[in-house]
Every structure is written in C-alpha cells, then in structure tokens.
Amino acid sequence: MERQLVVCDDLEALGRRAADLFVTLCGEAVTSQGRFSVALSGGETPKALHSQLHSESYRSRVPWSKVFVFWGDDRYVPHDHPDSNYGMARATLLDQVPIPAQNLFPVPTERKDAASAAARYQQTVKGFFDLSEGEQPRFDLMVMGMGEDGHTASLFPDTAALKSSSRVVVANYVQKLDADRITFTFSAINQAAFVVFLISGGSKALALKEVLEGPYQPDRLPSQFVQPKGGKLLFLVDRDAAARLTPRE
C-alpha cells in the first residue's frame, strides 16, 4: 500500500485537488476498462469536491456517461431526507452534470429495515462487478471522510460492523447516534484501487494526528483500518485539519 499526505491551504484548494484527482483517475479508468466506478462520501467536506466537478473548469473534462456512482455509506432515511448522503450528492453535484440516471446506485433505503437495505445493496454491488461468492469489488476510487472520533463511512468506534470481514455491505447500528446506517465494510474499502480521505477543519486535527501518528488502535480509530491492498491511499487535508501533525521537512 502506498500512503500519501497532501496539505492544502484551505477547503477550496482541497476541493480543486480532489477534482483533479477525480478527473485523472476517471480518464485512466475509462481508457483502460471503458468505465469509472466511484463511491462517494457524505459530510460537509466532499461538497468542496462536488462544487468543483460541476464548475465550468471541470464538468466538460469528465465523460459522465461512463461514470458509475455508488455510496460508501448512507443513513437509513428516505432519499429526500435532509440527512441522506445520496440526496446531498444529488443536490450538490449529480443534478448539475449530464450523468445518466441508470449510472447512479444509491443505497435502497426504502427497504423495510436497514439489514434488508444492506443485503440488497450488496447484491447490487456484486452484480455490477460480477463478483463470485467471497469476492470484493475493486472501485477505481473511494472517497472517504473522517469524523472527530476517527470514524469513516459509517464504521464507528467499537461497533459491530468493524468485525464484518467477509461481507461487502452491512447495516450498522450506532448506539451514540441511536441510528441505523448502511456501510461498505473495510474488506470492500481496502480492495479499492485508490482511496482518498477528504478532511477539513480544526475539529478534526486531533483525530487526524492520532490516526496518522498515533499507535495502531483501529477499534478506537476506525480510519486506521483503511489500508488498500495493492492500492493507493491519499489523505487530502486542509491546514486547519493538519494543525497538530508533526511538521515535515
């Protein structure tokens, strides 16, 4: 695994750097295999990426008809709910670019419960990637965020989903939020060709330092579990988030 840290001046610069990465990886994937598969993240920071991608500077550089979009996690809420990661991505990016509706694969939160939504989403992913039993998908790009507690996707500290090694997608009840989430497992995330964390703000500074420089305690800091097998890992952060990191030469 190749890990890299890039510190950007501010959130806008982070968004541009992430958009450049998106365009580059998309071009490489479409050239080599005819399509680009990406899993998006929720949260505030990815909006900086989205705003760049639908801007005049980037929109025409992406072959949107060959982009296939999944979600690394989502809340178990309707798609039009304010907390929906799918709804956020539609509002901030996807409704503003010419991507075919059939290229979007949201978590099916209309299912009767979170467990059945996770099972259906797993089948969708396995079908798209033509996976055999036990295989994991290889996304061209997975966009991740990180919480102040070190969680990523909906893989929170000391929750059951941290131990789901064989599945692609699971439901995860998060007690401190009293909420059900649907999330990719670390087994799926770590099969991606490229994983990028987008992290901004001083409130993330301590967690980022612990994740990157502290002892390996992934049950407490789940983001440490992200170690792509044969892939690349990039932490793209702004100066506020990087404020507590040990200065580099």
Side-chain angles (χ1 to χ4, degrees):
M1 178 197 72
E2 178 184 333
R3 189 178 87 175
Q4 184 182 10
L5 169 70
V6 172
V7 180
C8 303
D9 285 337
D10 53 29
L11 182 57
E12 184 177 356
L14 186 158
R16 288 196 299 272
R17 189 67 178 256
D20 287 336
L21 176 67
F22 187 103
V23 170
T24 297
L25 294 178
C26 180
E28 291 174 352
V30 169
T31 297
S32 64
Q33 60 201 26
R35 71 183 190 187
F36 177 60
S37 58
V38 57
L40 297 181
S41 170
E44 290 298 314
T45 308
K47 294 178 182 178
L49 164 63
H50 298 176
S51 67
Q52 293 294 332
L53 285 176
H54 72 68
S55 70
E56 291 185 9
S57 301
Y58 289 94
R59 184 174 55 223
S60 63
R61 296 166 59 191
V62 177
W64 292 104
S65 65
K66 297 178 181 178
V67 175
F68 295 84
V69 180
F70 294 77
W71 277 260
D73 74 308
D74 212 338
R75 284 94 167 173
Y76 182 60
V77 295
H79 289 162
D80 59 358
H81 191 282
D83 292 338
S84 168
N85 289 346
Y86 169 69
M88 183 275 281
R90 287 291 301 263
T92 60
L93 172 62
L94 300 170
D95 284 346
Q96 300 170 68
V97 295
I99 188 168
Q102 63 267 27
N103 289 19
L104 307 181
F105 297 90
V107 178
T109 54
E110 76 283 355
R111 306 291 294 181
K112 63 179 181 179
D113 54 45
S116 62
R120 174 59 65 87
Y121 204 45
Q122 175 166 283
Q123 288 305 117
T124 298
V125 174
K126 291 176 75 170
F128 179 83
F129 287 95
D130 192 24
L131 301 181
S132 300
E133 192 63 35
E135 286 186 323
Q136 295 288 347
R138 188 164 181 83
F139 281 90
D140 298 306
L141 174 64
M142 294 200 77
V143 180
M144 312 296 291
M146 187 189 74
E148 295 173 22
D149 59 358
H151 85 267
T152 190
S154 283
L155 296 156
F156 285 78
D158 301 310
T159 55
L162 301 187
K163 307 300 182 185
S164 299
S165 60
S166 61
R167 295 185 61 79
V168 178
V169 182
V170 294
N172 197 28
Y173 176 71
V174 183
Q175 186 171 14
K176 71 177 182 178
L177 303 176
D178 188 25
D180 287 308
R181 302 288 188 97
I182 296 95
T183 183
F184 278 110
T185 64
F186 284 117
S187 297
I189 294 167
N190 284 334
Q191 198 62 38
F194 204 116
V195 178
V196 60
F197 276 91
L198 306 182
I199 304 172
S200 66
S203 66
K204 309 287 182 67
L206 178 58
L208 181 63
K209 181 178 180 64
E210 290 187 311
V211 166
L212 294 182
E213 299 180 357
Y216 186 65
Q217 299 176 324
D219 287 332
R220 185 174 73 84
L221 299 163
S223 292
Q224 290 183 328
F225 270 123
V226 179
Q227 299 181 17
K229 299 174 182 177
K232 295 182 179 180
L233 174 60
L234 171 63
F235 283 83
L236 201 53
V237 309
D238 68 5
R239 290 198 179 278
D240 289 340
R244 295 200 182 203
L245 297 178
T246 302
R248 299 179 296 167
E249 293 295 333

